[in-house]
Amino acid sequence: MQNWEQFLAPYKQAVDELKIKLKGMRGQYELESNHSPIEFVTGRVKPIASILDKANQKGIPLDKLETEMQDIAGLRMMCQFVDDIKPVVELLRKRNDFEIVEERNYISHKKASGYRSYHVVVRYPVQMISGEKKILVEIQIRTLAMNFWATIEHSLNYKYKGQFPEDIRLRLQRAAEAAFRLDEEMSLIRGEIQEAQAFFARMKELQQDG
Ligand code: 0O2
């Protein structure tokens, strides 16, 4: 295997480019003063230690990382409401700067842990000085509540290395259901929330103008 810095360079390039592109989608909604289904976007290249851990756990040989580990480059798109997720996925399907390889719906099919999110794996072409390189990128689309739960669970997972004590496992499952109910409740008052947000956005514009 070549050195890690060289191996990860196209992944870093892809994350940097896609962060700008996906944030740009949000910017366009703002310009049109429409509700943006995208609240914020984050991205990261998986740390080397996590790549090695995952390869070890899943029995992926290091020379097969490029084809078998789909989330070395990862982007996350956070939405306010569950109903925003589908339009965001549609926007991704319509783009012609990458090709969708796979979609995994962990919202209608939540994981045993309680995890919910919509995953879209894309093949993204990066222009390197050595030529074009197509790399796999995983885009996770989730609500703020799903993100809150996943972030907490992920840090606990790190502490317990996936072996949760029974009481914590149960609490996390209950917390996942509470996050799901929070999403449902927010959906029911979505109209009210959006009206208030549009009002505050107009006020801010007026203050900036005058
Ligand atoms: P990190 O630190 O986010 O990079 P598998 O992990 O075996 O279930 P696979 O094939 O790796 O499945 O792909 P999948 O299911 O799409 O999951 C990849 C990523 O989704 C994970 O990356 C997490 O980011 C997220 N994810 C999946 N399941 C869970 C979960 O139960 N809890 C949390 N918090 N996140 C989850 P990594 O490599 O685990 O971690």
Side-chain angles (χ1 to χ4, degrees):
M1 163 105 158
Q2 52 182 332
N3 77 45
W4 280 105
E5 216 175 327
Q6 270 175 335
F7 174 75
L8 292 176
Y11 292 92
K12 186 178 176 315
Q13 179 83 19
V15 169
D16 289 347
E17 289 180 14
L18 281 167
K19 256 203 282 188
I20 291 179
K21 291 180 175 191
L22 302 181
K23 283 181 183 181
M25 286 159 80
R26 180 189 155 86
Q28 287 173 47
Y29 279 100
E30 269 173 9
L31 268 182
E32 291 172 16
S33 300
N34 278 339
H35 163 73
S36 168
I38 304 158
E39 184 64 11
F40 66 94
V41 176
T42 62
R44 62 96 184 96
V45 175
K46 210 178 192 56
I48 298 168
S50 309
I51 296 177
L52 290 173
D53 267 0
K54 190 164 182 171
N56 193 24
Q57 268 171 31
K58 297 199 156 213
I60 303 175
L62 291 188
D63 60 354
K64 294 268 161 51
L65 284 178
E66 250 178 58
T67 48
E68 292 188 23
M69 198 173 288
Q70 296 180 323
D71 65 341
I72 294 177
L75 276 295
R76 266 183 204 146
M77 304 177 80
M78 264 57 73
C79 307
Q80 287 187 345
F81 303 101
V82 181
D83 286 347
D84 289 334
I85 294 177
K86 217 167 149 195
V88 172
V89 174
E90 285 299 332
L91 286 171
L92 295 179
R93 288 187 188 139
K94 277 197 224 141
R95 295 188 69 104
N96 52 24
D97 51 349
F98 50 68
E99 164 205 349
I100 295 187
V101 174
E102 205 177 324
E103 294 184 21
R104 286 194 284 273
N105 187 345
Y106 297 128
I107 297 176
S108 52
H109 300 91
K110 67 165 176 164
K111 285 200 168 188
S113 59
Y115 178 76
R116 284 188 171 89
S117 215
Y118 196 100
H119 293 191
V120 178
V121 179
V122 306
R123 191 173 287 117
Y124 181 75
V126 185
Q127 310 304 316
M128 306 301 287
I129 47 173
S130 51
E132 182 176 281
K133 193 167 173 60
K134 288 193 175 166
I135 63 156
L136 293 174
V137 179
E138 185 177 80
I139 307 176
Q140 304 179 342
I141 305 121
R142 47 170 81 153
T143 62
L144 298 171
M146 291 171 195
N147 189 49
F148 175 53
W149 181 91
T151 306
I152 302 286
E153 196 258 6
H154 192 271
S155 42
L156 279 176
N157 216 329
Y158 190 74
K159 175 174 172 189
Y160 291 109
K161 301 192 170 48
Q163 304 294 311
F164 289 121
E166 187 58 10
D167 58 328
I168 299 212
R169 193 181 61 79
L170 281 174
R171 275 210 189 279
L172 280 170
Q173 278 179 351
R174 270 192 259 160
E177 290 319 302
F180 185 66
R181 283 198 305 279
L182 175 62
D183 273 333
E184 282 182 331
E185 291 295 329
M186 289 301 187
S187 291
L188 295 176
I189 50 167
R190 180 190 169 124
E192 289 278 330
I193 297 170
Q194 284 178 354
E195 230 172 79
Q197 286 171 345
F199 174 76
F200 284 115
R202 273 200 305 278
M203 293 283 280
K204 211 167 124 193
E205 271 171 28
L206 285 175
Q207 276 166 2
Q208 276 163 0
D209 291 346

